[in-house]
Amino acid sequence: MFFLSRRTVSRHRSLYAGSFVALAVGVFLLGLAATATAATIAYDAPPGSTIAVHLPGGDGVDPHTVQISPTGEDASGLQVVLSMVGTICGFITIFVIASTFAFAVASRRREIGLLRLVGATPRQIRRMILGEALVVALAASFTGALLAQLATPLLLAKASYSELAPVKLEPASPWVPLAIAMGIGLIVAMLGARSAARRAGKIGAVDALREAALEPPRIGPVRVVFGGLVLAGSIVLLALIQPGTGEGVIPLAMFTPMLLVIALTLLAPLVVPAVGRLLAVPLVAWTNVSGRLAKSNVVAAPRRTASLAAPILAISAIAGSMVLTLSFAADASVATIRETLFAPVVVTDTGAAENLGERVLGTSGVSAVDGAIPLTVIRTSSDSADLEDAEGIDPAVAPRARRLEVLSGDLGALSAGNTVAISKELAGYEGYRVGSEIPVTFLDGRAARLKVVAIVRTAAEVNASMLVSQDLARAHAPKAQPVRWFVLPEPGVDHHTLLDALNNIPGARAVPAATWEAEQGQGVRDGNKLGLLLLLGPAALYSAIAIVNTLLMGSLQRGREFVTSRLLGATPAQIRRMVLWESTLVGAVALTLGTVITVTVGALIRNAMTDGLNQVPVTVPWITLLGIAVICLVLAAGSALAPTAFILRHSHPSAAAE
């Protein structure tokens, strides 16, 4: 049977070439993320660049010591990004490969029916199809893993000494990560073929010929049940996107569209005809015959349409949701900075100043200066150690220069002793309350337990997650100096005059608060662009290949249909127009569903991020979103028209009688 499977794959090279390319690219991306992650895990910091932190253990964990890089010079940031990239690529791979294999098998329904007619049993049909999937999967997985191994040094060289990995990364042993990537490729291929094989095995010897031209009008109850369950899970995730979610909004913005895409794909035979009919109304009115034929092809074959629309739906929903989420996150950051900062003037150190804080405070017209001392602490628990940003503040001045809304406790209780005020977000994640003690290790190697005296509203762009007294900060970081000062002028002092006086201080750069806020907001947007490129770049490339692959497969299998249409009197131009409108309509259906997902998730994300903020700007990256839609439509139309032109050029109407 395996021999027959190999011969079948060889015979249907054009049909399985797309599946091979899609799976090979998927394994390549997964393998690249896996080998790069292995390199970050294997990274060892240079001797003397880490601090030994003792973890007391508990709850079944033995006491032990871990090494922490105090400057954050490790590859943890790259690990997080790669894990998200792997998740997105893995989802796209599973989704697209299952769809392409199902489409490849469905397009051979007539052939499978003839095999049943000559005596093949359902079990033999299933074994043959699974064997074909195994042949393609082995070749594609090996190719993808080999390409990943060759590309890993290039990726690590590019990632080294970057913002995500400010260290030199070297390739680690590739065997385990590549084996995992190949295993995922094999499993995905077999699962995708298994579902299609089971359906093919149910085709009867007589019904096969009839179903080759028309799909069954109903979908199975198993598909409906699973689609309903996934949709219910999606609704639960949507309900979790609420104010106070904090940093959990980003994972929700990534995983919720994935579940919604799966649900809509499973229920596509119910959803696609309705959306297709609605979108085809203006098309039919404008084009008449070609548009009506395109509508009939899309509506009459919802499973085929769902397979063709799957990659477009996946990338448009996921990419659109992530683009909106990061844009709204930047809007929320700008609004948070504006509402948090009270001081009208901000002074930063250009690197050439001495005793800048004292000179700023001594400038005529300055009433007070809020210059926080930056401090990094290692917060420990029974089994983990995490770097936290802290700062030493003057409790009498800081609340006047910036918003430090106390939700519980007393900020004035900060003293030179081991006391700390923490953000609402940190308190919520770790379960801290006023009176709790937080075990920490300072970068000078000394350990302490900081008592929580206040919990303040989160404002990460202006306030650190942990606030201590300036005396405590100087005791553990005597050489640390503020990097920016929030300046409060005396009553009646002209701000422009004060800015001129402050800018005359060597090494000082004084700007209005609005200018500083805009610079911080732009920095957030620039960082989001980099993250978006890293997260969606590989997935977008793979989805583009999947779109081309799926549409090519669909068009190449319609040679007999096109020739028959020629025999009935249709001209090549009419057939090309029909294919153009059909591919455009398929893309429009997928983009419509993707837009619904994007708008729903985006609206909930914005509501969660902007809760409690006033006058939040609305920045919708229309160019990026429209670019995604246009590229998907162009790829869909081009991938359908190219093989159609080839078939029409090399076929003759007399071939319909063969």
Side-chain angles (χ1 to χ4, degrees):
M1 188 61 69
F2 188 72
F3 173 79
L4 178 61
S5 298
R6 287 194 294 110
R7 293 295 299 270
T8 304
V9 172
S10 177
R11 178 189 174 194
H12 294 282
R13 286 191 298 270
S14 61
L15 183 62
Y16 282 109
S19 300
F20 171 83
V21 172
L23 184 57
V25 174
V27 173
F28 166 71
L29 294 175
L30 288 172
L32 202 58
T35 52
T37 302
T40 63
I41 295 174
Y43 169 76
D44 290 326
S49 64
T50 60
I51 293 178
V53 179
H54 177 73
L55 302 181
D59 296 330
V61 179
D62 295 331
H64 60 287
T65 300
V66 296
Q67 299 290 330
I68 300 294
S69 174
T71 59
E73 291 185 355
D74 54 30
S76 58
L78 185 60
Q79 288 181 18
V80 173
V81 172
L82 287 175
S83 64
M84 297 180 71
V85 170
T87 300
I88 294 177
C89 290
F91 170 78
I92 297 292
T93 301
I94 293 173
F95 192 75
V96 172
I97 295 304
S99 177
T100 53
F101 267 104
F103 182 83
V105 173
S107 65
R108 295 171 52 208
R109 181 173 296 167
R110 182 173 182 271
E111 174 187 330
I112 294 171
L114 292 174
L115 288 175
R116 292 296 315 280
L117 191 63
V118 297
T121 65
R123 182 177 180 182
Q124 289 174 325
I125 295 294
R126 290 194 295 268
R127 288 174 56 192
M128 182 189 69
I129 293 175
L130 292 176
E132 295 169 6
L134 183 60
V135 170
V136 176
L138 286 173
S141 297
F142 178 79
T143 303
L146 179 61
L147 293 175
Q149 173 62 15
L150 296 176
T152 296
L154 299 177
L155 173 64
L156 295 181
K158 204 71 175 175
S160 296
Y161 303 115
S162 66
E163 182 179 352
L164 294 174
V167 296
K168 176 63 175 177
L169 294 175
E170 298 291 346
S173 174
W175 303 113
V176 173
L178 291 183
I180 293 174
M182 291 184 64
I184 292 176
L186 292 173
I187 292 173
V188 167
M190 300 307 291
L191 289 178
R194 181 176 180 273
S195 176
R198 187 173 59 252
R199 289 198 302 268
K202 295 179 180 179
I203 297 176
V206 177
D207 294 339
L209 297 177
R210 183 166 59 247
E211 292 188 5
L214 184 65
E215 291 183 1
R218 294 180 297 177
I219 60 176
V222 175
R223 185 166 181 170
V224 173
V225 170
F226 275 99
L229 291 176
V230 176
L231 183 60
S234 306
I235 295 174
V236 171
L237 289 185
L238 289 173
L240 293 177
I241 306 177
Q242 297 180 352
T245 307
E247 294 182 356
V249 165
I250 302 299
L252 286 174
M254 183 175 68
F255 290 111
T256 303
M258 291 183 183
L259 282 184
L260 287 170
V261 167
I262 295 174
L264 289 178
T265 303
L266 289 173
L267 300 175
L270 302 177
V271 178
V272 167
V275 179
R277 289 190 184 94
L278 181 63
L279 296 180
V281 171
L283 180 63
V284 171
W286 180 42
T287 62
N288 197 11
V289 176
S290 59
R292 192 178 301 277
L293 287 175
K295 170 193 171 184
S296 300
N297 287 335
V298 170
V299 173
R303 292 183 179 179
R304 174 177 173 272
T305 302
S307 297
L308 297 176
I312 302 177
L313 171 61
I315 192 60
S316 63
I318 296 173
S321 298
M322 291 299 295
V323 167
L324 277 187
T325 296
L326 294 180
S327 180
F328 291 160
D331 292 340
S333 297
V334 171
T336 300
I337 294 172
R338 185 182 62 248
E339 295 190 9
T340 303
L341 186 58
F342 298 152
V345 177
V346 179
V347 177
T348 55
D349 188 353
T350 61
E354 293 183 4
N355 301 322
L356 184 56
E358 297 178 3
R359 301 183 68 174
V360 170
L361 183 59
T363 302
S364 176
V366 174
S367 172
V369 175
D370 174 22
I373 300 175
L375 183 69
T376 300
V377 301
I378 304 172
R379 183 174 54 84
T380 61
S381 61
S382 60
D383 59 351
S384 65
D386 300 295
L387 290 173
E388 293 285 354
D389 290 329
E391 56 184 9
I393 66 169
D394 183 348
V397 177
R400 296 168 52 196
R402 46 183 153 153
R403 183 183 183 186
L404 287 173
E405 181 181 350
V406 178
L407 302 178
S408 60
D410 181 13
L411 190 62
L414 279 180
S415 64
N418 294 330
T419 57
V420 64
I422 62 175
S423 66
K424 174 186 176 183
E425 190 174 57
L426 179 59
Y429 281 157
E430 302 297 334
Y432 296 134
R433 299 180 180 180
V434 173
S436 300
E437 291 189 346
I438 303 177
V440 299
T441 299
F442 295 97
L443 300 190
D444 58 8
R446 288 182 285 176
R449 299 182 68 87
L450 302 181
K451 182 179 179 181
V452 178
V453 297
I455 297 176
V456 299
R457 186 174 296 278
T458 302
E461 291 76 13
V462 180
N463 304 322
S465 58
M466 301 179 71
L467 305 175
V468 299
S469 68
Q470 288 186 337
D471 292 337
L472 182 61
R474 289 194 183 96
H476 292 281
K479 296 183 179 181
Q481 296 295 327
V483 294
R484 46 102 177 112
W485 291 263
F486 300 140
V487 180
L488 295 169
E490 293 180 351
V493 173
D494 181 68
H495 293 174
H496 296 288
T497 303
L498 182 59
L499 284 171
D500 293 337
L502 292 173
N503 279 319
N504 287 330
I505 301 175
R509 176 179 178 266
V511 296
T515 301
W516 185 80
E517 293 165 3
E519 293 173 351
Q520 301 305 304
Q522 187 59 44
V524 173
R525 294 189 188 279
D526 292 341
N528 287 347
K529 290 179 182 178
L530 175 61
L532 193 64
L533 178 63
L534 292 174
L535 287 176
L536 296 181
L541 174 63
Y542 181 44
S543 296
I545 295 174
I547 292 171
V548 174
N549 161 45
T550 308
L551 269 296
L552 280 174
M553 289 171 59
S555 298
L556 288 173
Q557 299 306 306
R558 302 177 65 184
R560 187 179 181 85
E561 173 189 339
F562 294 156
V563 172
T564 303
S565 299
R566 291 287 311 280
L567 190 64
L568 294 175
T571 66
Q574 290 175 325
I575 294 177
R576 283 194 293 268
R577 283 198 298 271
M578 180 195 71
V579 172
L580 173 63
W581 300 135
E582 183 179 339
S583 60
T584 303
L585 187 57
V586 169
V589 170
L591 289 174
T592 299
L593 297 176
T595 300
V596 171
I597 295 174
T598 297
V599 172
T600 302
V601 174
L604 293 175
I605 291 292
R606 178 174 174 81
N607 177 65
M609 287 183 169
T610 60
D611 180 58
L613 298 175
N614 299 316
Q615 299 180 351
V616 182
V618 181
T619 305
V620 178
W622 293 110
I623 295 179
T624 302
L625 295 175
L626 290 176
I628 293 173
V630 170
I631 291 174
C632 288
L633 288 177
V634 169
L635 288 175
S639 303
L641 286 175
T644 299
F646 176 82
I647 293 172
L648 293 176
R649 190 164 54 246
H650 293 83
S651 299
H652 189 272
S654 61
E658 296 179 358

